[in-house]
Structure formats: C-alpha cells, structure tokens
Amino acid sequence: MGFTDTRFDVNLSILFTELPLLERPAAAAAAGFTEVELWWPWIDAPVPEQSELDALRHALQDAGTQLVGLNFYAGQLPGPDRGALSIPGEESDKFRANIDVAADFAQSLGCKALNALYGNRVDGVDPQVQDTLALENLVLAARAADRIGATLLIEALNAPESPLCPIVSAPKAIEIVDKVNDATGLGNAKFLMDLYHLSMNGEDLNEVIDAYADKTGHVQIADNPGRGAPGTGDLPLADLLGRLKKAGYDGWVGLEYKPGDRPSSQAFGWLYSA
C-alpha cells in the first residue's frame, strides 16, 4: 500500500509553473493526471474579472481535469504571506470579498475542498484580536463552503519557513478546526494534513496520522529535506500514505513539491516506477 493505491492530484501552483496558468491543466493531463488543485491564482485580485475566471474554468474543462482543491485568497503565494484571514484591515477585507467568489468558482467546477490559510502574526496587533478576527472569517468561509457542499480546510504550516504563522503544528490546526465547527455547528471544517510541513516541524508523522486521520479532509506531500519529489529526501512517504489509508483516509493526496531543475513533466518518475 502507498503510492500504488493512492489517489493523487497535482498542484498547478507549484508544478508546471514554467507554463502560463491557462496551459497548466493540459500539461498535467498530458502527464497522466485527471485531478488538480490550485492556490488562489490571482495574488493581487481577490475578485478578478469574470473573464479571467471563465478562462481558467474553460482551460480546466477543456483539458479534462477536475479541480479537487482550491485556496481562498491568501496574499502573496509564493512569497512573504501565509494567508490573509487573521490580518486586520485590507487583507481581511480582501479575504471576505473573495469568499463567495472562490466558493462560486469551486462550485462551477464541482470542487469540494476550499483551503483557508490563517496568516502571519502582525507586529503591534494583539494576537487575541487576530484570533478573534480569524474565527469570524473562518465561520464565514465555512458557511460559504457548506453552501456548495464543500469542506473547509485548515492547514498547519511549518515554523522554520513560516516563523510568523501561529498554525505550525497538527494539534494547533485541529484546535482551530474544532473551534470553527463548534461556532458553526456545520461540522464541515477539516484538517489539511501536509506531511512536508509537519515533518519540518519535527512532528511524529505516524502519531499525527493515527490521531487525526478521522478529522483530515485533504493531504499534501513533498519529501524532506528539500520539498522535492518523493525519493529526493528521507520521508517514508509510501509507508505514511499506506498508514493513512489503513486509518481510514481515502481522499485525494496533493502533489505539492518542487520539480527541481527539470521540467515538471519529468518530475513524476517516482510514481510510474512505484
């Protein structure tokens, strides 16, 4: 168990980025993938022009690819930001403006998972103020996700690469998941288990899987060190994915790794040789 019986999707915001956005779905399909996920593609536009949304929708549909995961607006990704929903002022406003836009776009493509990145701590702002704002925004996002029959995902990042983000452990992410579900009564908030981030935090991945598989709505992988393809680092990813399946997780596993110096189309040898 592991690679051979896992449902993989490819993240088009970290792989195939050598191509323009609208060419990536077809490239993923040519590499053998029928499912894809995306960070919010318009980093400066929480509410892009309808023509841009339509163009991306058509590119995904024309390629025969199914969108299975989408981030809400999260600021500069990749870049200095780690989300927007806990940041008072303009960033929170942008997140709120994006909620229904992202949900409607996801619904138009049958996407059932929406990821809400928490955001960094801000100098001079009381963390409690940020956390109160974050819960308000996550409740709004959970309700929008529920409207389209989707799951709201809460992701733990890693402290070495995201030192200002307060959600840098599996238990902390689960705490937020529980708070959102308690506040809404909807039960549609779930944990996004990114094995790369958790390994960077030094967490025991077997323990995390055993403890939280039942609260997990999506999984992402990259090897560590390096955030490269499986086999480029030290993580026993096939064993970990097998453990997840035995624990009852049967959802998608997003490939969110860097292709290295080669074209993305050549970064999947580990999968075809498994």
Side-chain angles (χ1 to χ4, degrees):
M1 297 176 65
F3 294 156
T4 57
D5 61 351
T6 296
R7 298 191 299 163
F8 291 109
D9 72 86
V10 62
N11 189 308
L12 297 182
S13 298
I14 194 168
L15 286 155
F16 297 104
T17 57
E18 65 269 26
L19 299 172
L21 175 64
L22 298 183
E23 295 179 20
R24 296 176 202 171
F33 294 94
T34 53
E35 284 77 25
V36 300
E37 61 183 74
L38 281 163
W39 303 339
W40 186 248
W42 300 280
I43 58 176
D44 295 319
V47 184
E49 295 293 332
Q50 187 62 45
S51 60
E52 294 187 76
L53 292 161
D54 291 342
L56 179 55
R57 181 185 303 107
H58 294 150
L60 289 161
Q61 293 171 332
D62 291 347
T65 51
Q66 172 65 51
L67 186 67
V68 298
L70 176 68
N71 283 18
F72 287 107
Y73 170 80
Q76 299 284 328
L77 290 180
D81 299 332
R82 295 294 184 267
L85 63 90
S86 68
I87 300 175
E90 184 178 359
E91 286 302 288
S92 173
D93 292 345
K94 287 181 178 179
F95 179 83
R96 291 191 182 193
N98 174 253
I99 289 173
D100 283 330
V101 176
D104 289 346
F105 183 73
Q107 183 179 39
S108 74
L109 289 161
C111 174
K112 298 296 186 181
L114 290 162
N115 184 23
L117 289 174
Y118 202 84
N120 290 326
R121 291 302 192 204
V122 178
D123 286 344
V125 178
D126 185 341
Q128 184 58 53
V129 170
Q130 286 196 258
D131 291 341
T132 298
L133 175 64
L135 184 58
E136 293 173 0
N137 283 335
L138 287 168
V139 165
L140 295 173
R143 289 174 178 158
D146 181 69
R147 172 173 64 80
I148 67 165
T151 297
L152 175 71
L153 299 172
I154 309 294
E155 180 177 6
L157 303 183
N158 75 77
E161 293 176 324
S162 303
L164 299 179
C165 179
I167 312 301
V168 287
S169 74
K172 184 62 178 179
I174 294 294
E175 176 188 322
I176 303 300
V177 166
D178 291 343
K179 285 183 177 179
V180 174
N181 286 332
D182 288 345
T184 65
L186 297 171
N188 69 329
K190 297 280 188 177
F191 178 38
L192 195 167
M193 184 186 293
D194 186 311
L195 296 179
Y196 167 75
H197 286 313
L198 300 178
S199 69
M200 283 286 288
N201 286 328
E203 296 180 69
D204 185 315
L205 300 183
N206 289 327
E207 290 184 2
V208 169
I209 289 168
D210 293 347
Y212 304 127
D214 63 332
K215 292 188 175 185
T216 297
H218 190 61
V219 172
Q220 292 173 334
I221 64 168
D223 216 331
N224 188 27
R227 200 173 185 175
T232 60
D234 301 327
L235 292 183
L237 287 167
D239 292 344
L240 293 167
L241 294 178
R243 191 180 190 99
L244 264 165
K245 185 171 287 288
K246 288 178 182 177
Y249 180 77
D250 61 357
W252 293 102
V253 174
L255 303 179
E256 198 182 60
Y257 59 79
K258 299 175 182 178
D261 296 332
R262 55 196 164 172
S264 295
S265 60
Q266 298 175 18
F268 306 107
W270 62 273
L271 179 56
Y272 302 123
S273 63

